Amino acid sequence: MAVPPKPSRDQAEAAVRTLLAWAGDDPTREGLLDTPKRVVTAYGDWFSGYGADPSDYLKRTFEEVEGYDEMIVLRDIEFESHCEHHMAPIIGKAHVGYLPDGKVVGISKLARVVETYARRLQVQEKLTAQIAQVIQDVLQPRGVGVVVEGAHECMTTRGVHKRGVSMITSKMLGSFREDARTRAEFLQFIDVGPGR
């Protein structure tokens, strides 16, 4: 599917002025004069993940690990994303684990993978699957496990207005899916849920 050409910054700012007027305010009043510029700049930050390829972060690996072949887990990777249905924030944490097969990647690279996918319009299920799949495709470990916890502002600030609700999704590949002991060890390491 072809992506339509990117609008200019002026077009994006004009769209924000239209939304301000549609909401019932005057986009020419003093307090809102610079709002379109600020919103477009914020969008550039919030959606910067479209300009990066997450697989690039995983291509530099290390093989001198003294034969280390046990689970590697990075937990509590905080992220901010936006729901593709309402463009409302999703705030959460991702937990990523893998069983290396002769090579490992720097842990900051796993956090960058999470960040890149999160900085796109998302649904949490897709975000979880994307993180797991790119790690599997590039590192080719014996298994990958990803668990994502998210609070969805589209549910807390509109619609049903339910606060304190979090959504948990998981994607298990390879030994994390096939071996209950590996999966249990990963889930024990990350200890997901309230009260931990």
Side-chain angles (χ1 to χ4, degrees):
M1 183 169 82
V3 177
K6 187 174 182 177
S8 70
R9 184 177 179 100
D10 286 343
Q11 289 172 310
E13 289 178 14
V16 174
R17 281 190 286 279
T18 298
L19 286 173
L20 290 170
W22 179 85
D25 214 321
D26 176 6
T28 64
R29 73 175 173 85
E30 182 182 12
L32 293 178
L33 278 177
D34 289 331
T35 297
K37 291 178 187 172
R38 291 185 189 110
V39 170
V40 170
T41 298
Y43 270 45
D45 181 30
W46 291 336
F47 304 117
S48 60
Y50 289 111
D53 181 351
S55 66
D56 289 343
Y57 296 121
L58 301 172
K59 290 181 179 169
R60 181 157 188 250
T61 59
F62 305 97
E63 295 182 19
E64 293 181 15
V65 292
E66 298 296 326
Y68 185 86
D69 62 357
E70 297 294 323
M71 191 177 298
I72 296 170
V73 176
L74 194 61
R75 71 179 201 183
D76 296 331
I77 306 168
E78 293 183 353
F79 72 85
E80 299 141 12
S81 191
H82 285 79
C83 162
E84 67 183 37
H85 300 141
H86 302 98
M87 297 179 78
I90 303 168
I91 309 295
K93 293 180 180 180
H95 315 281
V96 177
Y98 70 100
L99 274 169
D101 190 14
K103 59 186 176 182
V104 300
V105 69
I107 59 173
S108 69
K109 307 309 183 195
L110 296 173
R112 288 186 187 279
V113 165
V114 172
E115 183 77 2
T116 301
Y117 281 124
R119 289 187 175 271
R120 300 176 181 185
L121 292 168
Q122 284 289 9
V123 294
Q124 187 172 319
E125 298 88 339
K126 180 178 169 186
L127 173 65
T128 307
Q130 287 173 322
I131 295 165
Q133 195 61 58
V134 77
I135 293 168
Q136 183 65 45
D137 291 347
V138 178
L139 295 183
Q140 298 185 337
R142 291 176 289 145
V144 177
V146 176
V147 173
V148 174
E149 303 173 75
H152 294 245
E153 295 298 310
C154 59
M155 191 170 132
T156 62
T157 62
R158 56 159 302 283
V160 295
H161 291 275
K162 297 298 179 199
R163 298 198 176 278
V165 176
S166 62
M167 179 175 171
I168 299 176
T169 51
S170 68
K171 182 70 174 179
M172 306 292 170
L173 300 173
S175 58
F176 283 68
R177 186 178 192 90
E178 297 156 5
D179 186 338
R181 292 172 302 171
T182 301
R183 185 170 48 257
E185 180 182 3
F186 172 61
L187 295 174
Q188 182 181 6
F189 279 170
I190 65 173
D191 192 23
V192 172
R196 73 169 157 113

